[in-house]
Amino acid sequence: QVHVVESGGKLVQAGDSLRLSCVASGRTYTTNAMAWFRQAPGKQREFVASLRWRGTTTDYADSVKGRFTISRDNAGDTVSLQMDSLKPEDTAVYYCAASTLYYPSTNYYRSSQKFESWGQGTQVTVSS
């Protein structure tokens, strides 16, 4: 069992930067991947970024590539999402998720169905 809690969401202006944090607890040694998803009002939940729990492999949605960075802090239990050059289109509730499943390709972790543990979500609002 892995429990995750995300935080850091707030109201910012377009072009600003924001850093979200996700703290994992419990049996974190069973984790193989962690990811960030987001859901805007009236929209489907969409993939944002993922990383392998061991190693440096990361994956990003095209909409955030080059602007967002996902990382694991000092091989510990905290995963961050550094968001730069924020746009109004980035406004959404951001969710952290953890998966115990292992896949050779990070493409599998673009699906929310691959994740068993979810945080409560944190609101990010980007004004024009």
Side-chain angles (χ1 to χ4, degrees), residues 82 104 115:
Q82 177 65 42
F115 294 84

Side-chain angles (χ1 to χ4, degrees), residues 2 6 8-9 24 32 42 51 56 61-62 65 70 73 76 93 101 107 114 117 119 125 127:
V2 179
E6 64 271 80
N32 278 300
L51 60 69
T56 58
D62 290 340
K65 193 172 299 181
I70 187 172
D73 298 338
V93 176
L101 303 176
N107 288 338
K114 301 299 188 293
S117 302
T125 302
S127 63

Side-chain angles (χ1 to χ4, degrees), residues 60-110:
Y60 298 92
D62 290 340
S63 60
V64 306
K65 193 172 299 181
R67 298 188 298 119
F68 290 11
T69 303
I70 187 172
S71 63
R72 181 183 177 188
D73 298 338
N74 298 317
D77 293 334
T78 300
V79 172
S80 298
L81 183 68
Q82 177 65 42
M83 304 182 291
D84 297 321
S85 301
L86 283 164
K87 306 174 181 179
E89 305 93 275
D90 296 318
T91 295
V93 176
Y94 283 70
Y95 297 91
C96 178
S99 176
T100 63
L101 303 176
Y102 177 80
Y103 298 98
S105 173
T106 56
N107 288 338
Y108 288 93
Y109 298 115
R110 292 186 170 223

Side-chain angles (χ1 to χ4, degrees), residues 11-82:
L11 171 64
V12 298
Q13 294 183 320
D16 284 355
S17 294
L18 187 64
R19 187 180 180 90
L20 305 182
S21 294
C22 175
V23 179
S25 61
R27 300 180 180 179
T28 58
Y29 55 86
T30 66
T31 302
N32 278 300
M34 293 190 69
W36 289 91
F37 290 80
R38 67 186 183 186
Q39 186 167 22
K43 303 285 187 177
Q44 296 279 321
R45 184 170 299 186
E46 65 176 350
F47 168 79
V48 176
S50 73
L51 60 69
R52 293 192 184 277
W53 196 237
R54 304 166 189 84
T56 58
T57 303
T58 58
D59 186 32
Y60 298 92
D62 290 340
S63 60
V64 306
K65 193 172 299 181
R67 298 188 298 119
F68 290 11
T69 303
I70 187 172
S71 63
R72 181 183 177 188
D73 298 338
N74 298 317
D77 293 334
T78 300
V79 172
S80 298
L81 183 68
Q82 177 65 42

